[in-house]
Structures are given as C-alpha cells and as structure tokens.
C-alpha cells in the first residue's frame, strides 16, 4: 500500500531522514516509534506531499508520488487522510462545517448526504450534539476527535496519525487508541501511527518500526519487538512497563 | 563575521524575501484572474475588514483633514487668502497626506491582524490540514483575504479622505474663523479630477501592497508563537516602509501621467 525506498530528507545542512525503507501492507496498523526529533512527523508529511524527499522514492497504492505536482497530490491526499498532532480545526468554522469541509470540496454530494456523512463520522468518534459549537468551545480531547472525524469523513483508504495522543490525559489517551483500532477495523483502513507511546503501540499495532536519528533501528511484529536487543527499544519497553504499572 | 559580510548577507536575504513576495503576488493574481474564489468568503472578508477598521479610519481621516487645515491656515493667512484654505487643505490631503496616514493606520490594524491570523493557522497546522483535505489554501484562505483587504482598504481609504473634509471644515470654523460655505467654496476649483484620481490611485496601490505583505508574512510563518510574533512585527515594519516607498513611486508616476496626458 505504502512503500518508502531509501528516502532521505534534509533541511539545509541537517539530514533528518537518512535513507529509510519500509512498507505498509493493506489493512495493517503500523506504528513508527521514536524519540522527539527523529523524523517521525517528517516521514508522514512526505506521504501526503506536504514535504518532498531529498532523494529516494515513495510509492502509494502502486504510484510513485515522489515527483507528483500539487494537483496530482490532491488525489493522494483524498486517499491518505492525515490526523495532525494539533487538532488543526478551522477556528472560524463550527464543528459541522469543519467535518464537512473536505466533503464539500471533493464529493459531489447533496446537502442531505453531506449532513448524513458528517453525523456518521462524528458518531464513529463517539461525538454527537455539538454541530454548532466552535472549536474553542469544546475540550482539547474533543477537538482531537472532531479532527479525526473530519479526516475519516472522506473515507480515506489510509489513515496517518501524527502523535494522536500527545497532550491528552491517560483516560482520553486510551479511548483515542481504542478509536484508532476500531476505525481501522470498521472502515478497513490501513493505519500508520507516529508516536512515542510504546505502551499504546504494543496494544494495537500489527507491526512496529523504531526510528532513531533518521534511521530505522528495529522493525517487526509486537512479539519481535518485545524480544528486541536494541538499547533504544529496551528503553521504550521499560518506559511502557512503568507506564502500564502506574 | 565582518560588518561588510554581515551587511551583504542581510542584503541577499532582503532581495530573496522581496523576490518570494513578488512570486507570491503572482500566484495570487494567477488564481484571481480565473475568479476561482468563493464569493461568500470574499464578502465575509470585506465586511470583516470594513467593520474592524471603520472607526479607526474615520478618526484618522477626520484628524488628517483637521491637521492639514491648521497647517494651511498658518500659511495662507499671511497672504490674506483664507478663502482658499478648504481647497488647498483638501487637495493636499487627497493627493498626499490622507492616503499615507490612513494606510499607516490600516497597516497597524488590518495588516497585523491578518498576519497574526494566518500565522496562527500556519503554526497550528490548519493550513496543512486544508491541503490534506484536498483543497488549495491559496484559493481557500489567501485569495479571499487578499481581495477582501484590497477592496475594503480602498473603500476605507476613500471614506477616510471624505471625512478629512469634515475635519478641515471644523478647523475652519473653530481655528480659522471661516464658515463651512467659505471653506468648501474653492474645493472644486483646487481639487481637480487629477487630484482625486491621484489619491485613489495611491489608495489602490497601498491597499494592494498591504494585502500582499500581510498575507505573505502570515502564510510563511514558521516557529510557533514566537514565529507569529515575528511575522506581525515584520508585517508592520515592511508595510510601513513599503507604503512610504510606494508613496514616492506613485507620486512620481502620477506626476508623469499628469504631465503626459493633461499638461501635454
């Protein structure tokens, strides 16, 4: 579904991705774990063309998108919905208008169909009755859910999550993680989650990639990661156990 | 690093930024020519900018007229030509001081607000979200704001200039002891079509400059809250400096056009 082939990305003199290669299969939940500043978000932004790789290739659904123009990327962005680290809701639009934003521009749906799709998407993230609220009038956790609803409203084949649980309390974190798993199963989407939360990755990931200083240091199924000898992975596992016990 | 090489780098960075701003304007105009923009969004922006800035512009316009009338009173009184006060003060306001001072007011109000708004959208990933939802941020948020600011600023500047006449009339009554009728009597004689056209030309250029700079600075904001602060400050500085330079250029070009078409 998605394949990175020796992708490098630099900003000026700073090389953030140092030639990473991996693939994500259809229907899979893949976690990319790593500490801050290791290039996790840069990896995601390359998939939707918000950033361009300095070298290497990115293949999405059989198409090499590396040299795609902004117009060509529109189709890819419809296919790959991205949920940002910040909720990134449009301040001046209501919850309903936020979720309907992509639908009004992409789909030739009637007003009634848009309304139904918006409500359906909000229900999938367990939200109802806040259509007319502005983003500033709802909690941060709710904003994250609305952001997710806005992305899934377009029914993308791939969901990209950039640190979906950052800034959330433990209870909301659990519910968002559950939501990612449920949505992936219900909507049959492929999910790529960038995070530093090993505890959550162990719970819901099909496969985990560990990134450090722009390079993949380990990759495998949950069981394989649990047996990893990488020092960084051991540190993550220790942290996850400590987090799980507390 | 020596002072000279530092200055050289600053110059390169300045021209780089200038080039990027021009290319940004080119992208806006390319989209604008196609008229591929939501009319509702444009009207919303016109309304927002107008409502936001009407009191400030009215106040600035009124006092600009009043200041000009005070200054001209001192000059024309010596020659016993107080009857020409209204005409001279209004002509000076329309041609030069009015557009300049009102544009400064708008740059502080509309320019800073727009740069802060777009900058916040950029650093909170709202602009990336627009792109990820398959829409073009230039079309969705930049073009409506650009058109809205140009049209609203143009109207506001013109409105401010009209109010400047009111300020002049008041000073005429209170400070110069001339009646409103006497003040306005020579306005049509002195304030000719070229004066009005020159003032409106300046209004249009200043509004376009303001809209370009504030949307560009906001759209290219990087670096969180600090970055937004930097964008607001650089918008204020760039618009002020840009307006002064544009004032000089528009004065030159307006004069050249006047010489060519009217005076032969």
């Amino acid at each position: 579904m998605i394949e990175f082939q020796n992708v490098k990305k630099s900003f000026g003199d700073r090389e953030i991705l140092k030639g990473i290669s991996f693939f994500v299969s259809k229907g899979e939940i893949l976690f990319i774990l790593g500490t801050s500043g290791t290039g996790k978000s840069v990896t995601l932004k390359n998939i939707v063309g918000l950033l361009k790789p300095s070298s290497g290739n990115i293949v999405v659904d059989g198409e090499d998108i590396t040299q795609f123009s902004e117009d060509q990327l529109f189709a890819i962005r419809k296919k790959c919905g991205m949920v940002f680290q910040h909720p990134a809701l449009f301040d001046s639009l209501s919850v309903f208008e936020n979720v309907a934003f992509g639908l009004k521009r992409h789909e030739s749906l009637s007003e009634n169909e848009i309304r139904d799709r918006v409500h359906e998407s909000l229900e999938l993230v367990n939200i109802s009755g806040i259509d007319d609220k502005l983003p500033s009038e709802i909690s941060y956790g709710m904003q994250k859910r609305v952001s997710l609803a806005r992305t899934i409203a377009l029914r993308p084949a791939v969901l990209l999550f950039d640190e979906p649980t950052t800034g959330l309390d433990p209870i909301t974190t659990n519910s968002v993680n559950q939501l990612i798993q449920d949505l992936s199963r219900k909507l049959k989407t492929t999910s790529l989650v960038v995070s530093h939360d090993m505890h959550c990755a162990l719970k819901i990931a099909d496969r985990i990639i560990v990134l450090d200083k722009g390079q993949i240091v380990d990759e495998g199924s949950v069981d394989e990661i649990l047996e990893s000898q990488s020092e960084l992975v051991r540190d993550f596992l220790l942290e996850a156990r400590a987090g799980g016990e507390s | 690093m020596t002072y000279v090489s530092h200055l050289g780098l600053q110059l390169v960075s300045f021209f780089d930024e200038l080039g990027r701003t021009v290319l940004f304007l080119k992208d806006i105009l390319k989209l604008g020519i196609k008229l591929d923009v939501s009319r509702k969004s444009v009207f919303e922006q016109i309304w927002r900018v107008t409502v936001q800035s009407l009191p400030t512009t009215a106040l600035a316009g009124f006092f600009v007229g009043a200041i000009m009338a005070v200054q001209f009173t001192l000059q024309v009184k010596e020659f016993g030509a107080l009857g020409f006060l209204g005409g001279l003060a209004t002509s000076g306001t329309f041609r030069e001081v009015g557009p300049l001072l009102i544009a400064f007011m708008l740059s502080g109000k509309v320019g800073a607000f727009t740069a802060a708004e777009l900058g916040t959208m950029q650093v909170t990933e709202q602009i990336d979200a627009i792109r990820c939802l398959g829409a073009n941020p230039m079309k969705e948020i930049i073009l409506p704001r650009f058109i809205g600011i140009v049209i609203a600023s143009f109207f506001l500047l013109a409105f401010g200039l009209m109010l400047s006449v009111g300020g002049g009339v008041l000073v005429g009554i209170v400070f110069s002891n001339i009646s409103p009728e006497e003040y306005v009597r020579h306005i049509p004689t002195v304030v000719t079509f070229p004066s009005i056209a020159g003032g409106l030309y300046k209004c249009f250029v200043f509004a376009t400059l303001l809209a370009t700079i504030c949307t560009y600075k906001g759209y290219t904001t990087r670096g969180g809250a600090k970055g937004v602060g930097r964008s607001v400050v650089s918008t204020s500085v760039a618009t002020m400096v840009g307006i002064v330079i544009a004032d000089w250029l528009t004065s030159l070009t307006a004069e050249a056009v006047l010489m060519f078409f009217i005076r032969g």
Side-chain angles (χ1 to χ4, degrees), chain B residues 132-155:
Chain B
C132 280
L133 290 166
N136 180 355
M138 291 294 282
K139 185 181 142 188
E140 297 290 338
I141 55 168
I142 301 297
L143 189 58
R145 276 172 179 74
F146 181 87
I147 299 175
I149 291 171
V150 170
I151 294 176
S153 298
F154 183 74
F155 282 138

Side-chain angles (χ1 to χ4, degrees), chain A residues 45 48-50 70 74 77 82 84-86 88-91 101-102 105-106 150 154, chain B residues 40 117 120-121 123-137 140 145:
Chain A
K45 286 182 177 175
V48 283
L50 292 176
E70 197 69 8
F74 282 162
R77 288 172 185 157
M82 181 150 170
F84 289 87
Q85 188 172 347
H86 298 287
L89 297 176
F90 310 126
D91 303 327
F101 186 91
R105 280 144 188 90
H106 267 304
R150 182 177 65 181
L154 286 169
Chain B
K40 187 176 166 246
E117 187 188 27
T120 306
M121 289 182 84
V123 299
T124 55
E125 297 178 314
Q126 290 179 51
I127 292 180
D128 279 347
I130 292 175
R131 291 170 76 190
C132 280
L133 290 166
N136 180 355
E140 297 290 338
R145 276 172 179 74

Side-chain angles (χ1 to χ4, degrees), chain B residues 23-203:
Chain B
L23 288 176
F24 183 77
L25 176 63
K26 190 194 93 183
D27 287 344
I28 294 176
L29 296 178
K30 226 163 86 181
L31 265 178
I33 284 168
K34 291 182 201 161
L35 286 176
D36 189 11
V37 63
S38 149
R39 281 184 193 167
K40 187 176 166 246
S41 303
V42 171
F43 282 122
E44 270 173 12
Q45 291 301 324
I46 293 174
W47 177 250
R48 193 178 60 109
V49 173
T50 307
V51 168
Q52 199 179 34
S53 310
L54 202 63
T56 319
T57 316
L59 205 67
F62 188 82
F63 280 101
V64 166
I67 293 163
M68 291 297 280
V70 169
Q71 292 301 320
F72 273 101
T73 300
L74 302 172
Q75 306 292 319
V76 294
K77 216 171 185 178
E78 280 184 38
F79 300 98
L82 265 178
F84 282 95
L85 176 66
L88 290 170
T90 309
S91 173
T93 307
F94 268 42
R95 290 170 70 115
E96 200 60 54
V97 188
L100 192 68
L101 287 186
I102 297 168
F104 278 167
M105 287 286 177
L106 287 177
S107 98
K109 188 115 185 167
V110 180
F113 178 85
T114 308
E117 187 188 27
L118 291 173
T120 306
M121 289 182 84
Q122 183 66 268
V123 299
T124 55
E125 297 178 314
Q126 290 179 51
I127 292 180
D128 279 347
I130 292 175
R131 291 170 76 190
C132 280
L133 290 166
N136 180 355
M138 291 294 282
K139 185 181 142 188
E140 297 290 338
I141 55 168
I142 301 297
L143 189 58
R145 276 172 179 74
F146 181 87
I147 299 175
I149 291 171
V150 170
I151 294 176
S153 298
F154 183 74
F155 282 138
L156 284 166
L157 284 162
F159 175 70
L161 289 180
M162 282 195 285
L163 276 187
S164 70
V165 178
V169 168
L170 189 72
V171 166
I173 298 166
V174 177
F175 186 75
S176 319
N177 287 324
I178 58 169
S179 65
E181 291 80 17
E182 207 176 345
Y183 186 90
V184 297
R185 194 192 323 148
H186 284 293
I187 290 180
T189 327
V190 184
V191 185
T192 52
F193 173 73
S195 305
I196 297 169
L200 293 179
Y201 166 54
K202 283 188 180 206
C203 288

